Every structure is written in structure tokens, then in C-alpha cells.
């Protein structure tokens, strides 16, 4: 922290301290609560007190501090407080910045909401992330996050959208996007979809990529059928 104080402007140091303290106290509070420690609530209140000022709402640090806090509040059963904290993080994303991808940040928030039991809010936030996507890569990450929070059908729809987005790209970019999609499809258990994507790659002329992916993931019949 002292090193940071020498290198950062005053506001930067304050934000660094607040973000770090919120994250640490939120984590400690969660662990205390799970262990039955009577001081857990006191630690959570400290995390709330350390929450970054709203003047930092335009920063990534502010948003991630709120996500950590929202998770902790949910663990304590403070569902309303947790929902409000996540809402503040989402609202902060309305502050536009060229160096920030709202879709990616919304994905992290939606995943946290899903993992803490607020499925409805999670689905809504995922939908906002999809609407603000910048390309297939955003959708593949979103699909994975949806899958790990138990929203597999939504994940499959996101991957389908990713393929549709990829096919609108110039040929070389399309091939890269489709190649990137295959591991994500397999990550959520969509082998049929992965095989279809490999076939799309073959049809696009990316024979080497298609064969390599088919071999790597055990589609040996497909690999042998792809001609030079």
C-alpha cells in the first residue's frame, strides 16, 4: 500500500484502499459466517463501511468491490441488501468509458447473482450483457458463465448467437471465431454443437483448423473425413 501511495494520485490511493479493504473484509466475513464465528456480522459491517465512494463509480475497481460485497451479503442471507449492491454495480456501468466493456462486467455480475441464488436477476443481467455484446468472444464467455450457474439452455442459445455473429465476420475473422467457439461448446457438454461448428469451419475452407479440432476433441471419424 505504501508503494501504491507513492505512485498513485491521492484519489487513486483512496480507491485502492477502499476496494482492497472491501474485498478482504467481505471474504473474511464469508469465511467467519461459514465457520459460525460470532464476529462475522461485525466484519461484514466493516466491509460495508469500506465500500468505495460513489465518486469512483466510473472505475472497474468500484464495480468489483461491489461484487465482492454483494456476494458476502448474500451468504449472510441479506438478499435485499445483496440485490441493491449488485444493482449499484450495474448502474455504474451506465457511465460510459472507452476502456471498459460493459458486456464483460455485466457477465461477472450476472454470474455472481446466479451463484448467490438470485436466478431471476441473473437471467436479466445476462440478457443485458448479450444485448451489449461486441462480438462472438463476449458470447462464448457469457455462455460459460450461464452454464456454471445452472442456466444451460440459455448458454446454448448464447452459443448459437455467437455462431450467427461469427458468420457475419470477414472470412479470416470468422474462422478464428469459430475455432475459439469449439472448446467452449465442449466445456458445457455440447458435443453435437461442437461437431456442427467444426463442420462450419470445414465449409469455410479452414481444413487444417477443422481437422486439428476434430482430432483434439475425439471426433476421429470427422477428422479422417476432412480432406486436404
Amino acid at each position: 500500500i505504501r508503494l501504491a501511495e507513492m505512485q498513485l494520485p491521492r484519489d487513486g490511493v483512496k480507491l485502492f484502499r477502499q476496494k482492497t479493504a472491501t474485498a478482504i473484509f467481505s471474504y473474511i466475513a464469508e469465511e467467519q459466517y461459514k465457520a459460525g464465528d460470532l464476529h462475522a456480522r461485525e466484519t461484514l459491517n466493516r466491509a460495508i463501511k469500506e465500500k468505495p465512494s460513489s465518486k469512483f463509480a466510473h472505475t472497474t475497481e468500484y464495480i468489483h468491490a461491489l461484487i465482492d460485497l454483494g456476494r458476502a451479503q448474500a451468504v449472510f442471507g441479506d438478499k435485499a441488501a445483496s440485490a441493491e449492491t449488485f444493482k449499484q454495480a450495474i448502474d455504474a456501468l451506465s457511465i460510459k468509458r472507452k476502456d471498459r466493456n460493459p458486456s464483460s462486467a455485466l457477465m461477472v455480475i450476472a454470474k455472481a447473482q446466479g451463484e448467490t441464488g438470485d436466478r431471476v436477476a441473473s437471467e436479466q443481467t445476462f440478457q443485458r450483457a448479450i444485448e451489449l455484446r461486441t462480438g462472438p468472444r463476449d458470447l462464448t464467455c457469457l455462455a460459460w458463465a450461464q452454464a456454471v450457474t445452472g442456466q444451460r439452455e440459455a448458454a446454448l442459445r448464447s452459443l448459437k448467437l455467437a455462431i450467427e455473429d461469427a458468420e457475419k465476420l470477414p472470412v479470416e475473422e470468422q474462422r478464428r471465431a469459430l475455432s475459439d467457439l469449439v472448446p467452449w461448446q465442449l466445456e458445457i457438454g455440447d458435443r453435437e454443437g461442437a461437431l456442427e461448428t467444426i463442420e462450419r469451419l470445414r465449409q469455410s475452407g479452414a481444413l487444417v483448423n477443422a481437422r486439428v479440432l476434430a482430432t483434439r476433441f475425439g471426433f476421429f471419424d470427422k477428422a479422417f473425413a476432412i480432406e486436404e
Side-chain angles (χ1 to χ4, degrees):
I1 291 177
R2 288 182 179 177
L3 177 60
E5 289 176 340
M6 292 187 290
Q7 295 176 334
L8 296 173
R10 186 179 298 273
D11 274 356
V13 172
K14 184 176 181 181
L15 173 59
F16 176 79
R17 283 181 173 277
Q18 290 177 341
K19 186 264 182 186
T20 303
T22 302
I24 291 173
F25 285 119
S26 293
Y27 173 76
I28 293 173
E30 284 188 50
E31 295 303 307
Q32 287 177 313
Y33 181 83
K34 293 172 184 176
D37 190 324
L38 297 178
H39 297 291
R41 175 65 64 174
E42 181 182 335
T43 307
L44 179 63
N45 289 337
R46 179 68 185 275
I48 294 169
K49 182 179 178 181
E50 296 288 350
K51 183 179 74 172
S53 165
S54 59
K55 76 175 184 178
F56 298 122
H58 63 287
T59 68
T60 299
E61 289 82 0
Y62 175 87
I63 291 167
H64 282 280
L66 292 185
I67 293 171
D68 290 334
L69 178 58
R71 282 182 177 278
Q73 289 170 316
V75 167
F76 276 73
D78 298 344
K79 299 298 184 182
S82 174
E84 177 58 28
T85 299
F86 285 134
K87 181 179 181 298
Q88 289 173 10
I90 292 169
D91 289 345
L93 288 169
S94 65
I95 303 172
K96 295 183 178 180
R97 285 183 52 164
K98 293 180 179 179
D99 61 344
R100 184 162 69 185
N101 180 352
S103 180
S104 178
L106 286 167
M107 179 202 72
V108 177
I109 296 169
K111 182 172 179 287
Q113 289 171 316
E115 290 173 339
T116 54
D118 195 346
R119 186 181 180 92
V120 173
S122 176
E123 290 174 351
Q124 293 172 345
T125 307
F126 272 128
Q127 186 56 42
R128 289 187 63 180
I130 290 168
E131 292 167 359
L132 293 172
R133 68 187 185 276
T134 59
R137 184 176 293 277
D138 283 351
L139 285 166
T140 54
C141 294
L142 278 163
W144 169 80
Q146 288 171 313
V148 298
T149 54
Q151 302 172 48
R152 189 171 186 277
E153 291 304 313
L156 292 174
R157 289 194 295 272
S158 293
L159 288 173
K160 183 178 178 181
L161 274 177
I163 291 169
E164 291 174 4
D165 283 1
E167 292 184 332
K168 296 173 185 175
L169 297 171
V171 174
E172 287 304 316
E173 291 181 42
Q174 177 189 134
R175 290 172 178 172
R176 284 195 295 271
L178 290 174
S179 295
D180 290 342
L181 264 167
V182 173
W184 291 100
Q185 289 173 303
L186 290 163
E187 182 72 22
I188 68 170
D190 185 17
R191 287 187 65 81
E192 182 179 345
L195 189 56
E196 290 175 358
T197 303
I198 290 171
E199 173 59 20
R200 283 186 168 89
L201 269 172
R202 186 194 68 77
Q203 292 175 0
S204 76
L207 302 182
V208 173
N209 283 6
R211 188 182 302 106
V212 167
L213 287 167
T215 303
R216 175 184 172 189
F217 294 113
F219 299 112
F220 299 117
D221 289 345
K222 185 68 176 178
F224 291 136
I226 298 172
E227 298 178 358
E228 292 288 353

